[in-house]
């Protein structure tokens, strides 16, 4: 409540939303997952419940008020990081994380400046492995506007049984050979 522009919702995610985000083949196959904006860790726990025993999860949360809740998650695969998602590349390097297979975002794209949102989506596209998936759960569709130029159209699923109701947007990263050269 103290930082409404940094928090996507004031209620914990519903089991319907958590299942939609975490109960996926891409999460079960992933060796590395990054979560942007984990809040108090409900989505984090759902992701960990589906991930392989040897996988890693890096959760980047901007709001320091969630530090204690994230620190209580006792799983050797999990690394909480208080920081800004816009520093994604530096934080991946700091934690020797490599290129993630899946990036899940609860960052409220409708509440951040358009230039920041564009830069964040560009960073997500840059670091995500080819064939990797970017999953964003949002109240509004602003993320689609920023992600479409890089990822193409999203698959969407509306989750009405959540407070507030949210849409889950999913993209798979497909790169042309010229894009791989630009990133390398």
């Amino acid at each position: 409540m103290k930082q409404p522009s940094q928090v996507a919702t004031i209620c914990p995610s519903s089991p319907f939303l958590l299942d939609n985000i975490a109960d996926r083949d891409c999460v079960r196959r992933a060796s590395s997952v990054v979560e942007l904006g984990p809040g108090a860790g409900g989505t984090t726990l759902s992701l960990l419940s589906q991930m392989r025993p040897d996988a890693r999860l890096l959760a980047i949360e901007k709001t320091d008020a969630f530090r204690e809740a994230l620190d209580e998650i006792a799983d050797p695969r999990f690394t909480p990081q208080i920081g800004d998602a816009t520093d994604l590349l530096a934080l991946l390097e700091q934690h020797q994380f490599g290129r993630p297979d899946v990036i899940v975002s609860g960052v409220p794209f409708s509440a951040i400046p358009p230039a920041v949102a564009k830069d964040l989506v560009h960073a997500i596209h840059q670091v995500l492995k080819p064939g990797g998936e970017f999953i964003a759960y949002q109240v509004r569709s602003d993320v689609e506007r920023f992600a479409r130029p890089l990822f193409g159209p999203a698959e969407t699923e509306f989750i009405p049984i959540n407070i507030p109701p949210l849409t889950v947007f999913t993209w798979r990263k497909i790169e042309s050979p010229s894009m791989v050269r630009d990133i390398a």
Side-chain angles (χ1 to χ4, degrees):
M1 296 292 262
K2 292 179 182 178
Q3 297 169 311
S5 67
Q6 293 181 18
V7 180
T9 183
I10 58 170
C11 295
S13 298
S14 74
F16 301 98
L17 177 63
L18 296 175
D19 285 348
N20 183 285
I21 294 166
D23 189 10
R24 296 172 179 241
D25 287 339
C26 66
V27 173
R28 286 187 286 277
R29 287 190 308 261
S31 61
S32 59
V33 177
V34 170
E35 183 181 10
L36 306 175
T43 306
T44 307
L45 291 169
S46 291
L47 289 166
L48 288 166
S49 76
Q50 295 294 325
M51 290 170 56
R52 301 179 345 200
D54 63 335
R56 292 177 64 196
L57 173 61
L58 173 64
I60 302 168
E61 174 55 56
K62 185 174 185 176
T63 307
D64 193 55
F66 292 119
R67 178 188 304 267
E68 188 175 320
L70 293 173
D71 285 344
E72 288 179 8
I73 298 174
D75 189 310
R77 301 171 295 167
F78 176 60
T79 304
Q81 171 66 57
I82 299 300
D84 197 312
T86 59
D87 297 325
L88 181 59
L89 185 57
L91 292 172
L92 290 174
E93 289 173 0
Q94 175 186 330
H95 291 283
Q96 301 174 342
F97 205 77
R99 296 178 79 172
D101 298 296
V102 177
I103 297 177
V104 175
S105 179
V107 172
F109 280 85
S110 61
I112 58 178
V116 173
K118 184 177 178 182
D119 288 347
L120 178 55
V121 170
H122 181 78
I124 290 167
H125 188 268
Q126 181 181 9
V127 302
L128 190 63
K129 283 183 184 173
E133 294 199 18
F134 171 37
I135 304 162
Y137 52 102
Q138 305 284 298
V139 173
R140 297 191 178 105
S141 63
D142 296 55
V143 67
E144 171 83 15
R145 177 170 40 118
F146 301 111
R148 182 182 279 267
L150 295 169
F151 287 98
E155 290 182 20
T156 60
E157 186 167 351
F158 182 64
I159 311 296
I161 305 174
N162 193 70
I163 299 173
L166 297 173
T167 300
V168 177
F169 297 84
T170 305
W171 293 270
R172 176 165 295 181
K173 181 179 178 179
I174 300 171
E175 291 186 282
S176 68
S178 65
M179 292 176 92
V180 173
R181 283 194 305 273
D182 290 343
I183 294 171

